[in-house]
Amino acid sequence: TQLLEQSPQFLSIQEGENLTVYCNSSSVFSSLQWYRQEPGEGPVLLVTVVTGGEVKKLKRLTFQFGDARKDSSLHITAAQTGDTGLYLCAGRIIQGAQKLVFGQGTRLTINP
Amino acid sequence: DTGVSQNPRHKITKRGQNVTFRCDPISEHNRLYWYRQTLGQGPEFLTYFQNEAQLEKSRLLSDRFSAERPKGSFSTLEIQRTEQGDSAMYLCASSLGSGSSYNEQFFGPGTRLTVL
């Protein structure tokens, strides 16, 4: 059983379109992070959210943490081919816990 | 380059052989983590160190796996008597331990292990 469920698992869209990726759990997270991973490389940290309802923007990427801190979303505006990659959400279930629990990832392909 | 480094990047071995991977964390980070990632899945936690102390180990870490961080800097992960099921990407991450509840973890490029 996956503690963090990401949807969709695969998404292929045209350049210029908007998209949203979801990360859901029945558990409350003390913090949640989004990473992007290229094939054959390690995950690269994009953002950390810690407060329920928090919204963070990173250029065309908007990250939101649910009010109850059980879910998060990543919205990309006007997707570009360079956004292609595996997007992973990861969180800490227990305050002060060190290990991250990861979702299975959303593989995003942006077609020119 | 001041990021997390891992060596080797790729390792191909025969079943039953021992392998050892090395991780060099970001220099000022006192926490170091090992994760394993199989194809199509997110990384799974294996173990973590604060300085030289190994503070948590996952049940995924069987007796054939051992990790060390002898001087609180670099770490090694050894797998003895490798099995085909050990084939995966082994990822190392480090973070700056503090009183905050969200020490951000920064990952290395990983070591891809293939057991034939």
Side-chain angles (χ1 to χ4, degrees):
Chain A
T1 304
Q2 198 82 24
L3 276 174
L4 274 171
E5 293 283 348
Q6 288 189 241
S7 61
Q9 283 190 259
F10 300 93
L11 183 59
S12 179
I13 63 171
Q14 295 300 119
E15 195 170 24
E17 295 183 359
N18 301 333
L19 67 106
T20 302
V21 172
Y22 300 93
C23 175
N24 294 295
S25 177
S26 56
S27 301
V28 175
F29 287 85
S30 62
S31 66
L32 194 137
Q33 294 164 337
W34 284 92
Y35 289 85
R36 189 173 89 184
Q37 186 175 25
E38 304 286 348
E41 298 295 330
V44 175
L45 180 64
L46 296 174
V47 78
T48 299
V49 286
V50 295
T51 306
E54 183 175 4
V55 176
K56 281 192 174 178
K57 292 194 174 184
L58 188 67
K59 297 184 180 177
R60 293 175 295 100
L61 278 59
T62 302
F63 303 86
Q64 186 162 4
F65 202 13
D67 291 341
R69 292 185 289 134
K70 291 183 177 182
D71 56 85
S72 181
S73 64
L74 158 60
H75 182 79
I76 301 180
T77 303
Q80 299 176 357
T81 55
D83 295 326
T84 293
L86 179 68
Y87 288 81
L88 294 159
C89 64
R92 288 189 170 82
I93 291 179
I94 301 170
Q95 184 86 6
Q98 295 309 311
K99 71 178 183 185
L100 289 175
V101 174
F102 280 83
Q104 77 273 47
T106 293
R107 186 159 299 283
L108 176 64
T109 303
I110 309 300
N111 303 302
Chain B
D1 185 10
T2 57
V4 178
S5 62
Q6 292 188 245
N7 289 288
R9 292 293 310 275
H10 304 274
K11 179 71 178 178
I12 300 174
T13 190
K14 292 183 179 179
R15 190 175 51 187
Q17 298 294 304
N18 300 342
V19 294
T20 300
F21 310 140
R22 175 176 170 131
C23 171
D24 287 87
I26 294 171
S27 58
E28 63 268 27
H29 286 183
N30 64 345
R31 288 185 177 150
L32 186 149
Y33 312 79
W34 287 98
Y35 290 83
R36 182 171 71 184
Q37 185 177 24
T38 53
L39 207 59
Q41 300 296 319
E44 294 175 292
F45 171 80
L46 293 178
T47 187
Y48 101 92
F49 294 82
Q50 179 158 316
N51 300 313
E52 63 276 6
Q54 189 173 16
L55 297 185
E56 187 174 352
K57 287 167 40 171
S58 162
R59 282 173 285 182
L60 290 175
L61 215 64
S62 75
D63 292 345
R64 297 183 298 104
F65 288 70
S66 63
E68 293 183 344
R69 196 183 182 199
K71 296 181 181 179
S73 57
F74 74 91
S75 175
T76 58
L77 177 68
E78 180 184 17
I79 309 174
Q80 296 182 325
R81 305 180 304 280
T82 52
E83 302 172 356
Q84 287 183 324
D86 297 331
S87 295
M89 174 80 95
Y90 289 84
L91 293 162
C92 176
S94 69
S95 72
L96 183 62
S98 72
S100 71
S101 62
Y102 55 99
N103 300 317
E104 293 176 330
Q105 295 182 19
F106 296 89
F107 283 80
T111 294
R112 166 76 63 190
L113 172 66
T114 302
V115 181
L116 302 175

